[in-house]
Amino acid sequence: MRKDTHAITYPRFLLRVIGQSFEGSWRFYLWMTVLTAIALVGANAWAHQLAEGMQVTGMSDHVSWGLYIANFTFGVGLAAGAVMMVIPAYLYDDHEMHDVVILGELLAIAAIVVCLLFIVADMGRPDRFWHILPGIGRFNWPISMLTWDVIVLNGYLLINLHISGYLIYTRYLGRKPDRRWYLPFVFLSIGWAVSIHTVTAFLYSGLGGRPFWNSALLAPRFIASAFITGPAFVILLLQLVARLTRFRVGDGPIRTLTSVLRVTVLLNLFMLGSELFTSLYTGGTHGAAVTYLFFGLHGKAALVPWIWSAVALNVASAAILHLPASRRSRAWLDAACVAAFAGVWIEKGMGLIIPGFVPSTLHEIVEYAPSMAEWKITAGIWAVGLMVLTIAIKVALTVLTGELSVEPRGRADRAGTAERAGEPAAAEGS
Amino acid sequence: MTQPSRRVALKVLGGTLGASAFAHAMEPLRAWSKDLSLDQFLQRHYKELTRDEIGEVIHRHEQQTREEYGREVTIRDVRPQEGVQFGYALSLSVCIGCRKCVEACHVENNHDRRTNNSYIRVLEMEQGSFDMEKGNATYEHAVPAKGKYYLPVQCQQCDNAPCVSVCPVQATWKEPDGIVAVDYDWCIGCRYCEAACPYHARRFNWTKPEIPADEINPDQGYLSNRIRPQGVVEKCTFCLHRTREGRMPACLEACPTGARVFGNLLDPGSELRWVLENKRIFVLKEELGTRPRFFYFFDV
């Protein structure tokens, strides 16, 4: 029965997938061109940063991490949050979620790519990247939390690449996926998703010299806010997919994710409030960073507009999500998602990284504002992330809808049965 | 068949435009990679290099300094001595906050001239308070000011150093004589150590240091004051190129008041030991458990 081995069909599959990534409507081309342009602006800014040094950023020895690490932290949350589709699909056997869970996995991949790029952008010497490769460089594991982060982030990337790649490939072949080849990885990815954001929180919370970060609540807060951004992004994504592609999405997944959001937005606000109470009621130097963040300190108040915007957005999203309107109207729900996403981006980015450095360890107040170069590089990296996500989803959906399969188009009306998989794949690329 | 072929032609055109735009965007990297040799790229960690290999690396660095800064310098790999554990003590009663030590550090360690960098920061503290929040590191008036005392802070060479723990590539470590060193040729510039240090002791090279040839200190240590490359972290090394040969750190020599006491913790006859045994000493942020090698005291 079987004619071709994987050694032949898999490279052919990859070729067709690559071909498919350059194929699309005028909307697709326009979207990708815009993203490419933004990515190129970012690449150019990064090249300048490398050549002229990181003096082109707004960072200093006082605030030695800025917009890049802020976005990195947020990106890890987005990647971890995508697992909120995997949990209902596989742990609670939610069938409708099962159909769209692959979008979450692809989102995780794109988000991890974004995170890794932000780390590269933040490195003073990216040419020495090999120093951090286990076995080749000098990997300070298990002492340095950063080495743990290298392991969990790359591991998460590989796990998700495997799961989604395997599912798409078997669907392309028209075969039923073998549970042994993906289910263990799915369950692994659930635990792993929590680990990536926990380890990222530990990067900061383990530093005794930075009271603002040195809190046991940091990791739980990270997880809670990750479960805001992930579902919020996916709710918007599902609607876009439904509108722009032939892929059908039921209402179930959006309802489930909205229920998750309703809990996590409140949980996140509650934990933020707990941190605020502890810092402000206790007072003293331990609360100095919080005071600086929310009210300004000694006449310096660069972060005040940022954090109050975040609070306003988070409170607004929580309020909207609990109004009956968000149940009836998609517009309200979408507004809540956008607000929640933006609110967490600020809270967990600028609102979390910068106050760790202000006041400094010697209690000097040196402020930070991102430079134009940092904004360009940041925009460029997000553009690359969106390109990865767009192509990944596009390819996945053309396979899932049966448009792209090993069989000639005419016969592959419904994929998924074992007999079909055995049929010869003759007329390739009709 | 005109439709598909036009599509292909457009794709090829788009691809070509994209590739050339990318090449153009990356143009600044050409100048940057010119300075980067293969030897430099493949150079291993300081601790993995043999004496001969270090000799070669040093030769390359001396040559580079000659070419890029126009100055003949000597870089030595001064090793720690047996039976020596360095420590430093500073009398807060005597220090007047003149910042001569800051300046001496700047000159000795070949710091970037534009940023006026130094490994030492002096806080002007309020009499009767130990709250750094009330301190001021940027005072510009005659010293000592009334009602103030002065707290110079530099690397505390912690025995339990957070910067060493967090470094993902072991580019910074504790030397046998207690000095926390950095391999400037191994550091990847992630600045995690800068975030981890509770004493603001670390500095990053945000750009290539700029120093006029005649101001360069030609007496250089491989792990200390040689001119640092762009994009790596640096810190106070207790002037190991001096102290490992029995000289005093530049900051101590510059101090007009005698507030600074440097020495070998293992030498019972040293002035440092006398201070530690007879004065009421304390360390900064003891509660963090970093176990500093830098001690402060008041002469009462």
Side-chain angles (χ1 to χ4, degrees), chain A residues 321-368:
Chain A
L321 282 167
H322 288 86
L323 288 177
S326 71
R327 256 170 252 255
R328 286 194 302 267
S329 142
R330 276 287 157 81
W332 279 105
L333 177 63
D334 293 350
C337 288
V338 171
F341 194 81
V344 172
W345 181 73
I346 298 173
E347 187 202 309
K348 209 151 103 186
M350 292 291 285
L352 183 101
I353 302 304
I354 313 309
F357 294 101
V358 190
S360 78
T361 47
L362 298 184
H363 294 263
E364 290 178 69
I365 298 178
V366 175
E367 299 203 278
Y368 161 82

CSV table of all heavy atoms in Angstrom, one decimal, chain A residues 321-368:
chain,number,residue,atom,x,y,z
A,321,LEU,N,-15.9,43.0,31.1
A,321,LEU,CA,-16.1,41.6,31.0
A,321,LEU,C,-17.2,41.1,31.9
A,321,LEU,O,-17.8,40.0,31.7
A,321,LEU,CB,-14.8,40.8,31.4
A,321,LEU,CG,-13.8,40.8,30.2
A,321,LEU,CD1,-12.4,40.4,30.8
A,321,LEU,CD2,-14.2,39.9,29.1
A,322,HIS,N,-17.5,41.9,33.0
A,322,HIS,CA,-18.5,41.4,33.9
A,322,HIS,C,-19.9,42.1,33.6
A,322,HIS,O,-20.8,41.9,34.3
A,322,HIS,CB,-18.1,41.7,35.3
A,322,HIS,CG,-17.0,40.7,35.7
A,322,HIS,ND1,-15.7,40.9,35.5
A,322,HIS,CD2,-17.1,39.4,36.3
A,322,HIS,CE1,-15.0,39.8,35.9
A,322,HIS,NE2,-15.8,38.9,36.4
A,323,LEU,N,-19.9,42.9,32.6
A,323,LEU,CA,-21.2,43.5,32.2
A,323,LEU,C,-21.9,42.5,31.2
A,323,LEU,O,-21.2,41.9,30.5
A,323,LEU,CB,-21.0,44.8,31.4
A,323,LEU,CG,-20.5,46.0,32.3
A,323,LEU,CD1,-20.3,47.2,31.3
A,323,LEU,CD2,-21.6,46.4,33.3
A,324,PRO,N,-23.2,42.5,31.3
A,324,PRO,CA,-23.9,41.6,30.4
A,324,PRO,C,-23.6,42.0,28.9
A,324,PRO,O,-23.7,41.1,28.0
A,324,PRO,CB,-25.4,41.9,30.7
A,324,PRO,CG,-25.4,42.6,32.0
A,324,PRO,CD,-24.1,43.2,32.2
A,325,ALA,N,-23.3,43.2,28.7
A,325,ALA,CA,-23.0,43.7,27.3
A,325,ALA,C,-22.0,42.8,26.6
A,325,ALA,O,-22.1,42.6,25.4
A,325,ALA,CB,-22.6,45.1,27.3
A,326,SER,N,-20.9,42.4,27.4
A,326,SER,CA,-19.9,41.7,26.7
A,326,SER,C,-20.3,40.3,26.3
A,326,SER,O,-19.7,39.6,25.5
A,326,SER,CB,-18.7,41.6,27.7
A,326,SER,OG,-19.0,40.7,28.8
A,327,ARG,N,-21.4,39.8,26.9
A,327,ARG,CA,-22.0,38.5,26.5
A,327,ARG,C,-22.7,38.7,25.2
A,327,ARG,O,-22.7,37.8,24.4
A,327,ARG,CB,-22.9,38.0,27.6
A,327,ARG,CG,-22.3,37.0,28.5
A,327,ARG,CD,-23.3,36.7,29.7
A,327,ARG,NE,-22.7,37.3,30.9
A,327,ARG,CZ,-22.1,36.5,31.8
A,327,ARG,NH1,-22.2,35.2,31.7
A,327,ARG,NH2,-21.6,37.0,32.9
A,328,ARG,N,-23.4,39.8,25.1
A,328,ARG,CA,-24.3,40.0,23.9
A,328,ARG,C,-23.5,40.5,22.7
A,328,ARG,O,-23.8,40.1,21.6
A,328,ARG,CB,-25.4,41.0,24.3
A,328,ARG,CG,-26.5,40.4,25.2
A,328,ARG,CD,-27.7,41.3,25.2
A,328,ARG,NE,-27.4,42.6,25.6
A,328,ARG,CZ,-27.5,43.0,26.9
A,328,ARG,NH1,-27.9,42.2,27.8
A,328,ARG,NH2,-27.2,44.2,27.2
A,329,SER,N,-22.6,41.4,23.0
A,329,SER,CA,-22.0,42.1,21.9
A,329,SER,C,-20.5,41.7,21.8
A,329,SER,O,-19.7,41.8,22.7
A,329,SER,CB,-22.1,43.6,22.1
A,329,SER,OG,-21.0,44.2,21.6
A,330,ARG,N,-20.1,41.3,20.6
A,330,ARG,CA,-18.7,41.0,20.3
A,330,ARG,C,-17.8,42.3,20.4
A,330,ARG,O,-16.7,42.2,20.8
A,330,ARG,CB,-18.6,40.4,18.9
A,330,ARG,CG,-18.8,38.9,18.9
A,330,ARG,CD,-17.6,38.2,19.5
A,330,ARG,NE,-18.0,36.8,20.0
A,330,ARG,CZ,-18.1,35.8,19.2
A,330,ARG,NH1,-17.8,35.9,17.9
A,330,ARG,NH2,-18.5,34.6,19.7
A,331,ALA,N,-18.4,43.4,20.0
A,331,ALA,CA,-17.7,44.6,20.1
A,331,ALA,C,-17.2,44.9,21.5
A,331,ALA,O,-16.0,45.3,21.7
A,331,ALA,CB,-18.5,45.8,19.5
A,332,TRP,N,-18.1,44.8,22.4
A,332,TRP,CA,-17.7,45.0,23.8
A,332,TRP,C,-16.6,44.0,24.3
A,332,TRP,O,-15.7,44.4,25.0
A,332,TRP,CB,-18.9,44.9,24.8
A,332,TRP,CG,-19.7,46.2,24.8
A,332,TRP,CD1,-20.9,46.4,24.1
A,332,TRP,CD2,-19.4,47.4,25.4
A,332,TRP,NE1,-21.3,47.7,24.3
A,332,TRP,CE2,-20.4,48.3,25.1
A,332,TRP,CE3,-18.3,47.8,26.2
A,332,TRP,CZ2,-20.4,49.6,25.6
A,332,TRP,CZ3,-18.3,49.1,26.6
A,332,TRP,CH2,-19.3,50.0,26.3
A,333,LEU,N,-16.8,42.8,23.9
A,333,LEU,CA,-15.9,41.7,24.3
A,333,LEU,C,-14.5,42.1,23.7
A,333,LEU,O,-13.5,42.0,24.4
A,333,LEU,CB,-16.3,40.4,23.8
A,333,LEU,CG,-15.4,39.2,24.0
A,333,LEU,CD1,-15.2,39.0,25.5
A,333,LEU,CD2,-15.9,37.9,23.4
A,334,ASP,N,-14.5,42.5,22.4
A,334,ASP,CA,-13.2,42.8,21.8
A,334,ASP,C,-12.6,44.0,22.4
A,334,ASP,O,-11.4,44.0,22.6
A,334,ASP,CB,-13.5,43.1,20.3
A,334,ASP,CG,-13.9,41.8,19.5
A,334,ASP,OD1,-13.8,40.8,20.1
A,334,ASP,OD2,-14.3,42.0,18.4
A,335,ALA,N,-13.4,45.0,22.8
A,335,ALA,CA,-12.8,46.1,23.5
A,335,ALA,C,-12.2,45.7,24.8
A,335,ALA,O,-11.1,46.1,25.1
A,335,ALA,CB,-13.9,47.2,23.7
A,336,ALA,N,-12.9,44.8,25.5
A,336,ALA,CA,-12.3,44.3,26.8
A,336,ALA,C,-11.0,43.6,26.6
A,336,ALA,O,-10.0,43.8,27.3
A,336,ALA,CB,-13.3,43.4,27.5
A,337,CYS,N,-10.9,42.8,25.5
A,337,CYS,CA,-9.7,42.1,25.2
A,337,CYS,C,-8.5,43.0,24.9
A,337,CYS,O,-7.4,42.8,25.3
A,337,CYS,CB,-9.9,41.1,24.0
A,337,CYS,SG,-10.9,39.7,24.5
A,338,VAL,N,-8.8,44.0,24.0
A,338,VAL,CA,-7.8,44.9,23.7
A,338,VAL,C,-7.3,45.7,24.9
A,338,VAL,O,-6.1,45.8,25.1
A,338,VAL,CB,-8.3,45.9,22.6
A,338,VAL,CG1,-7.3,47.1,22.4
A,338,VAL,CG2,-8.6,45.2,21.3
A,339,ALA,N,-8.2,46.1,25.7
A,339,ALA,CA,-7.9,46.8,27.0
A,339,ALA,C,-7.0,46.0,27.9
A,339,ALA,O,-6.0,46.4,28.4
A,339,ALA,CB,-9.1,47.3,27.7
A,340,ALA,N,-7.4,44.7,28.0
A,340,ALA,CA,-6.7,43.8,28.9
A,340,ALA,C,-5.3,43.5,28.4
A,340,ALA,O,-4.3,43.6,29.2
A,340,ALA,CB,-7.5,42.5,29.1
A,341,PHE,N,-5.2,43.3,27.1
A,341,PHE,CA,-3.9,43.1,26.5
A,341,PHE,C,-3.0,44.3,26.7
A,341,PHE,O,-1.8,44.1,27.1
A,341,PHE,CB,-4.2,42.8,25.0
A,341,PHE,CG,-3.0,42.2,24.3
A,341,PHE,CD1,-2.8,40.8,24.4
A,341,PHE,CD2,-2.1,42.9,23.5
A,341,PHE,CE1,-1.7,40.2,23.7
A,341,PHE,CE2,-1.0,42.4,22.9
A,341,PHE,CZ,-0.8,41.0,23.0
A,342,ALA,N,-3.5,45.4,26.4
A,342,ALA,CA,-2.7,46.6,26.5
A,342,ALA,C,-2.3,46.9,27.9
A,342,ALA,O,-1.2,47.3,28.3
A,342,ALA,CB,-3.4,47.8,25.9
A,343,GLY,N,-3.3,46.7,28.8
A,343,GLY,CA,-3.1,47.0,30.2
A,343,GLY,C,-2.0,46.1,30.8
A,343,GLY,O,-1.1,46.6,31.5
A,344,VAL,N,-2.0,44.8,30.4
A,344,VAL,CA,-1.0,43.9,30.9
A,344,VAL,C,0.4,44.2,30.3
A,344,VAL,O,1.4,44.1,30.9
A,344,VAL,CB,-1.4,42.4,30.7
A,344,VAL,CG1,-0.2,41.5,31.1
A,344,VAL,CG2,-2.6,42.1,31.6
A,345,TRP,N,0.3,44.6,29.0
A,345,TRP,CA,1.6,44.9,28.4
A,345,TRP,C,2.3,46.0,29.1
A,345,TRP,O,3.6,46.0,29.3
A,345,TRP,CB,1.3,45.4,26.9
A,345,TRP,CG,2.6,45.7,26.1
A,345,TRP,CD1,3.5,44.8,25.7
A,345,TRP,CD2,3.0,47.0,25.8
A,345,TRP,NE1,4.5,45.5,25.0
A,345,TRP,CE2,4.3,46.9,25.1
A,345,TRP,CE3,2.6,48.3,26.0
A,345,TRP,CZ2,5.0,47.9,24.6
A,345,TRP,CZ3,3.3,49.4,25.5
A,345,TRP,CH2,4.5,49.2,24.8
A,346,ILE,N,1.6,47.0,29.6
A,346,ILE,CA,2.3,48.1,30.3
A,346,ILE,C,2.6,47.6,31.7
A,346,ILE,O,3.8,47.8,32.2
A,346,ILE,CB,1.3,49.3,30.5
A,346,ILE,CG1,1.0,49.9,29.1
A,346,ILE,CG2,2.0,50.4,31.3
A,346,ILE,CD1,0.0,51.0,29.1
A,347,GLU,N,1.7,47.0,32.4
A,347,GLU,CA,1.9,46.6,33.8
A,347,GLU,C,3.1,45.6,33.9
A,347,GLU,O,3.9,45.7,34.9
A,347,GLU,CB,0.6,45.9,34.3
A,347,GLU,CG,0.6,45.6,35.8
A,347,GLU,CD,-0.4,44.5,36.1
A,347,GLU,OE1,-1.5,44.6,35.7
A,347,GLU,OE2,0.0,43.5,36.8
A,348,LYS,N,3.2,44.7,33.0
A,348,LYS,CA,4.2,43.7,33.1
A,348,LYS,C,5.5,44.1,32.4
A,348,LYS,O,6.5,43.4,32.5
A,348,LYS,CB,3.7,42.4,32.5
A,348,LYS,CG,4.3,41.2,33.2
A,348,LYS,CD,3.3,40.0,33.1
A,348,LYS,CE,3.6,39.0,32.1
A,348,LYS,NZ,2.6,38.0,32.0
A,349,GLY,N,5.4,45.2,31.6
A,349,GLY,CA,6.5,45.6,30.9
A,349,GLY,C,7.2,46.8,31.6
A,349,GLY,O,7.9,46.6,32.6
A,350,MET,N,6.9,48.0,31.1
A,350,MET,CA,7.4,49.2,31.7
A,350,MET,C,7.1,49.3,33.2
A,350,MET,O,7.9,49.7,34.0
A,350,MET,CB,6.9,50.4,31.0
A,350,MET,CG,7.3,50.5,29.5
A,350,MET,SD,9.1,50.9,29.4
A,350,MET,CE,9.1,52.7,29.9
A,351,GLY,N,5.9,48.8,33.6
A,351,GLY,CA,5.5,48.9,35.0
A,351,GLY,C,6.1,47.9,35.9
A,351,GLY,O,6.0,48.1,37.1
A,352,LEU,N,6.8,47.0,35.4
A,352,LEU,CA,7.5,46.0,36.2
A,352,LEU,C,9.0,46.1,36.2
A,352,LEU,O,9.7,46.0,37.2
A,352,LEU,CB,7.0,44.6,35.8
A,352,LEU,CG,7.6,43.6,36.8
A,352,LEU,CD1,6.6,43.1,37.8
A,352,LEU,CD2,8.2,42.4,36.1
A,353,ILE,N,9.5,46.2,35.0
A,353,ILE,CA,11.0,46.2,34.8
A,353,ILE,C,11.6,47.5,35.3
A,353,ILE,O,12.6,47.5,36.1
A,353,ILE,CB,11.4,45.9,33.3
A,353,ILE,CG1,10.8,44.6,32.9
A,353,ILE,CG2,12.9,45.9,33.2
A,353,ILE,CD1,11.1,43.4,33.7
A,354,ILE,N,11.1,48.6,34.9
A,354,ILE,CA,11.7,49.9,35.2
A,354,ILE,C,11.7,50.2,36.7
A,354,ILE,O,12.8,50.6,37.3
A,354,ILE,CB,11.1,51.0,34.4
A,354,ILE,CG1,10.9,50.7,32.9
A,354,ILE,CG2,11.9,52.3,34.6
A,354,ILE,CD1,12.2,50.1,32.3
A,355,PRO,N,10.6,50.0,37.4
A,355,PRO,CA,10.7,50.3,38.9
A,355,PRO,C,11.6,49.4,39.7
A,355,PRO,O,12.0,49.8,40.8
A,355,PRO,CB,9.2,50.2,39.4
A,355,PRO,CG,8.4,49.7,38.2
A,355,PRO,CD,9.2,49.7,37.0
A,356,GLY,N,12.0,48.3,39.1
A,356,GLY,CA,13.0,47.5,39.7
A,356,GLY,C,14.4,48.2,39.8
A,356,GLY,O,15.2,47.9,40.7
A,357,PHE,N,14.5,49.2,39.0
A,357,PHE,CA,15.8,50.0,38.9
A,357,PHE,C,15.7,51.4,39.5
A,357,PHE,O,16.7,52.1,39.6
A,357,PHE,CB,16.3,50.1,37.5
A,357,PHE,CG,16.6,48.8,36.9
A,357,PHE,CD1,15.8,48.1,36.0
A,357,PHE,CD2,17.9,48.2,37.1
A,357,PHE,CE1,16.1,46.9,35.5
A,357,PHE,CE2,18.2,47.0,36.6
A,357,PHE,CZ,17.3,46.3,35.7
A,358,VAL,N,14.5,51.8,39.8
A,358,VAL,CA,14.3,53.2,40.3
A,358,VAL,C,13.5,53.1,41.5
A,358,VAL,O,12.3,52.7,41.5
A,358,VAL,CB,13.5,54.0,39.2
A,358,VAL,CG1,13.5,55.5,39.6
A,358,VAL,CG2,14.0,53.9,37.8
A,359,PRO,N,14.0,53.6,42.6
A,359,PRO,CA,15.4,54.1,42.8
A,359,PRO,C,16.4,53.0,42.7
A,359,PRO,O,16.1,51.8,42.9
A,359,PRO,CB,15.3,54.6,44.3
A,359,PRO,CG,14.1,54.1,44.9
A,359,PRO,CD,13.2,53.6,43.9
A,360,SER,N,17.6,53.4,42.4
A,360,SER,CA,18.7,52.4,42.2
A,360,SER,C,19.1,51.8,43.5
A,360,SER,O,18.5,52.1,44.6
A,360,SER,CB,19.9,53.1,41.6
A,360,SER,OG,20.6,53.8,42.5
A,361,THR,N,20.0,50.8,43.5
A,361,THR,CA,20.4,50.1,44.7
A,361,THR,C,21.0,51.1,45.7
A,361,THR,O,21.1,50.8,46.9
A,361,THR,CB,21.3,49.0,44.4
A,361,THR,OG1,22.4,49.4,43.5
A,361,THR,CG2,20.6,47.8,43.8
A,362,LEU,N,21.6,52.2,45.2
A,362,LEU,CA,22.1,53.2,46.1
A,362,LEU,C,21.0,54.4,46.3
A,362,LEU,O,21.4,55.5,46.7
A,362,LEU,CB,23.4,53.8,45.6
A,362,LEU,CG,24.6,52.8,45.5
A,362,LEU,CD1,25.8,53.5,45.1
A,362,LEU,CD2,24.8,52.0,46.8
A,363,HIS,N,19.8,54.0,45.9
A,363,HIS,CA,18.7,55.0,46.1
A,363,HIS,C,18.8,56.3,45.3
A,363,HIS,O,18.4,57.3,45.7
A,363,HIS,CB,18.4,55.2,47.6
A,363,HIS,CG,17.9,54.0,48.3
A,363,HIS,ND1,16.6,53.7,48.5
A,363,HIS,CD2,18.6,52.9,48.7
A,363,HIS,CE1,16.5,52.5,49.1
A,363,HIS,NE2,17.7,52.0,49.2
A,364,GLU,N,19.5,56.2,44.2
A,364,GLU,CA,19.5,57.3,43.3
A,364,GLU,C,18.3,57.2,42.4
A,364,GLU,O,17.9,56.1,42.0
A,364,GLU,CB,20.8,57.4,42.5
A,364,GLU,CG,22.0,57.7,43.2
A,364,GLU,CD,23.2,57.6,42.3
A,364,GLU,OE1,23.4,58.5,41.5
A,364,GLU,OE2,24.0,56.7,42.5
A,365,ILE,N,17.7,58.3,42.0
A,365,ILE,CA,16.6,58.3,41.1
A,365,ILE,C,17.0,58.8,39.7
A,365,ILE,O,17.2,60.0,39.5
A,365,ILE,CB,15.4,59.1,41.6
A,365,ILE,CG1,15.0,58.5,42.9
A,365,ILE,CG2,14.2,59.1,40.6
A,365,ILE,CD1,13.9,59.2,43.6
A,366,VAL,N,17.3,57.8,38.8
A,366,VAL,CA,17.7,58.1,37.5
A,366,VAL,C,16.6,57.5,36.6
A,366,VAL,O,16.3,56.4,36.7
A,366,VAL,CB,19.1,57.5,37.1
A,366,VAL,CG1,19.4,57.8,35.6
A,366,VAL,CG2,20.2,58.1,38.0
A,367,GLU,N,15.9,58.4,35.8
A,367,GLU,CA,14.8,57.9,35.1
A,367,GLU,C,15.2,57.3,33.7
A,367,GLU,O,16.3,57.5,33.3
A,367,GLU,CB,13.8,59.1,34.9
A,367,GLU,CG,13.3,59.6,36.2
A,367,GLU,CD,12.0,60.3,36.1
A,367,GLU,OE1,12.0,61.5,35.7
A,367,GLU,OE2,10.9,59.7,36.4
A,368,TYR,N,14.2,56.6,33.2
A,368,TYR,CA,14.4,56.0,31.9
A,368,TYR,C,13.3,56.2,31.0
A,368,TYR,O,12.1,56.2,31.4
A,368,TYR,CB,14.6,54.5,32.1
A,368,TYR,CG,14.4,53.6,30.9
A,368,TYR,CD1,15.4,53.4,30.0
A,368,TYR,CD2,13.1,53.0,30.6
A,368,TYR,CE1,15.2,52.7,28.8
A,368,TYR,CE2,12.9,52.3,29.5
A,368,TYR,CZ,14.0,52.1,28.6
A,368,TYR,OH,13.8,51.3,27.4
